[in-house]
Structures are given as structure tokens and as C-alpha cells.
Amino acid sequence: MIARYIGIAVLLFLPMPIIIVVLSSFTAAGYLSFPIKGLSLRWYAEFLGSADWLRVLGTSALLAMIGAVVSTGACFAAAWAVVRHKIRFGATYETILLAPLIFPHAAIGVIMIVTLSSLGWLGTFSGLVLVHCILTIPYAYRPVAAALRKSDAALEEAAASLGARPWRTFWMVTLPAVRPGLVTSLLFTFIISFDEVTVTLFLVGPFVMTLPVQVFSEVLESASPIIAAVSAALVLFTSAMVFILDRVIGIQFFVERD
């Protein structure tokens, strides 16, 4: 009984910071405060009317889209080699792909500073794309590999035996079978990339900035409620993406065993 009450208390406590941030975004005061003093949409209007905020929002969205597509495509090729062709040392290969989950993001950020500096990409959009692809590969590989393992390879063999060319077999048989995994990978890696701040903080420059890093910088410099408005918008966007993912595809690829 005590354990049940503790579990309920934890479940009630976890969303409290998010609820406080969302409520604070509607304050009429000129500074962050809770309980809020009056109701106003002023800070949302300021966010949507600011060219600087919209620019970093567009940068984050474009970065997340490119990262999601590249990571998903690369992981599909990797999963195809491991699952379908049973390459040697496949388990080791998968471990390497999942390695970014093991290392602390601060360490990855320092390593990437050295790597991108040697390439001349530090503080550039191209450098951020490369790093975000590396960070999202573990999240892209899992659902794609699970979808391939669940699909029946005999269907591809049957299509080939009936005279279908390899590209037609891939387009008409393989791709529809793994589509749930691909959609899951695209949406989940987009969310991860869009919200990433720890590593990106090391790599942004004067000409490229992402929305989460801009929010972090504003928190250090001021206590404007526009920070709460932007954070509330991010929470709403991420929640909507996860809801769509769960309703359309389901998130079982991340919890079921292969």
C-alpha cells in the first residue's frame, strides 16, 4: 500500500515542473514568476513576432529534418546488412551503432570540437548536421532493425521467384513491410535532434544557433517570460509528435525485444 502511494506521488510530482513552466508562460508580469500575476498571451505574440526567435526555430527544424532523413537512411542500410545478410560480427556492429548512448554528451561535445575544428566545420550548419546524425543513429537503428526482423523474408523470396526485379521487390514488398519502423525512426530522431542541447552547446557559432541553445542562453542572461513561452511551445510540439507517433505507428519498437 505504501509503495502504491509513493508511486502515485512520484507520478504527480514528475509533470509539476512542466506544468509550472506552461502556466508561467501566460503571466502578464515582465518577469518569470509563479504563481502568475494576471493572464496574457503577450509572450507568445513576442515569440512569434520575433525574427531572431523564428530564425533559430527554422534552423532547428531544418537541422532536425536533415538529421532524421540521413540517420534513418544510414540505419536502414546498416540494419539490412545485419538482419538480412547476416554479416560477420553483426552484434559488434550493432554495439558500435549504439555507442553514442554510452558516452556522456559533454565528452562527445569536447571530442566533436576537436574533430570539427580539424575539418573546418566548427560553428557551421554542416558540422551540426554531422553531429546530430551521430547522436540520433542509435534511436534510428532500433525501430528499423526491429521492423526488418519482424518482416517475413520469405515474401521477398517469393516475389523474386515470380520474376520481380530486385528494385521492384524492394519497393513493393520490403518497403511496405518496414514502413512502420521507418516512420517511427524519422519521427523519433526528429524529436531527439530538435530538442538536443548538451552537445550542440559546444558547437554553435555566431552564424548558426538552435532554438534549445538559444533558450539556454536566455535563461543565463535574463528571466523574461518569453523563455517560458518558447519552452511551453517546445513541450506542446514534442508531446504532439509523440502522440502522433503512438497513435499512427506505436512505440512498441523501443520496448519489445528483437
Side-chain angles (χ1 to χ4, degrees):
M1 185 64 69
I2 297 178
R4 178 181 299 179
Y5 289 139
I6 293 176
I8 294 174
V10 170
L11 291 176
L12 292 176
F13 176 77
L14 286 176
M16 285 304 298
I18 297 176
I19 294 174
I20 292 175
V21 168
V22 172
L23 292 177
S24 299
S25 67
F26 294 100
T27 183
Y31 52 90
L32 279 175
S33 62
F34 188 83
I36 63 175
K37 300 178 180 180
L39 292 175
S40 175
L41 295 175
R42 166 189 173 187
W43 306 109
Y44 287 94
E46 186 171 331
F47 167 51
L48 297 176
S50 171
D52 293 335
W53 281 108
L54 293 180
R55 183 177 65 253
V56 296
L57 173 62
T59 300
S60 291
L62 180 60
L63 177 62
M65 285 190 290
I66 296 175
V69 171
V70 174
S71 296
T72 300
C75 287
F76 179 77
W80 184 267
V82 172
V83 176
R84 281 290 186 267
H85 295 283
K86 307 294 183 181
I87 62 172
R88 295 182 61 187
F89 308 110
T92 303
Y93 190 40
E94 287 186 325
T95 301
I96 294 174
L97 291 175
L98 299 177
L101 295 176
I102 303 174
F103 298 101
H105 277 200
I108 295 177
V110 174
I111 294 171
M112 286 302 165
I113 288 177
V114 177
T115 303
L116 296 183
S117 295
S118 63
L119 295 174
W121 287 2
L122 185 62
T124 66
F125 185 79
S126 300
L128 288 180
V129 168
L130 175 62
V131 173
H132 278 230
C133 288
I134 294 173
L135 294 176
T136 54
I137 276 178
Y139 302 97
Y141 181 80
R142 171 72 180 183
V144 173
L148 274 174
R149 288 189 172 99
K150 290 182 178 181
S151 64
D152 191 354
L155 296 176
E156 300 168 11
E157 297 172 359
S161 67
L162 292 174
R165 294 181 179 275
W167 68 267
R168 187 171 183 83
T169 300
F170 173 81
W171 185 259
M172 301 297 294
V173 179
T174 306
L175 197 59
V178 300
R179 185 180 292 120
L182 293 174
V183 174
T184 301
S185 174
L186 285 169
L187 290 178
F188 210 79
T189 51
F190 181 91
I191 294 171
I192 296 297
S193 177
F194 191 86
D195 292 339
E196 211 292 316
V197 62
T198 308
V199 177
T200 309
L201 187 64
F202 288 84
L203 308 174
V204 293
F207 302 108
V208 59
M209 178 70 66
T210 65
L211 186 61
V213 174
Q214 183 68 27
V215 170
F216 181 78
S217 300
E218 290 292 330
V219 169
L220 297 179
E221 296 176 3
S222 67
S224 172
I226 194 173
I227 301 171
V230 175
S231 300
L234 288 176
V235 169
L236 177 61
F237 171 76
T238 304
S239 300
M241 293 285 287
V242 173
F243 177 78
I244 293 172
L245 174 62
D246 185 44
R247 298 292 295 179
V248 176
I249 302 298
I251 58 175
Q252 68 273 16
F253 292 107
F254 294 96
V255 296
E256 289 183 356
R257 292 182 180 274
D258 294 339

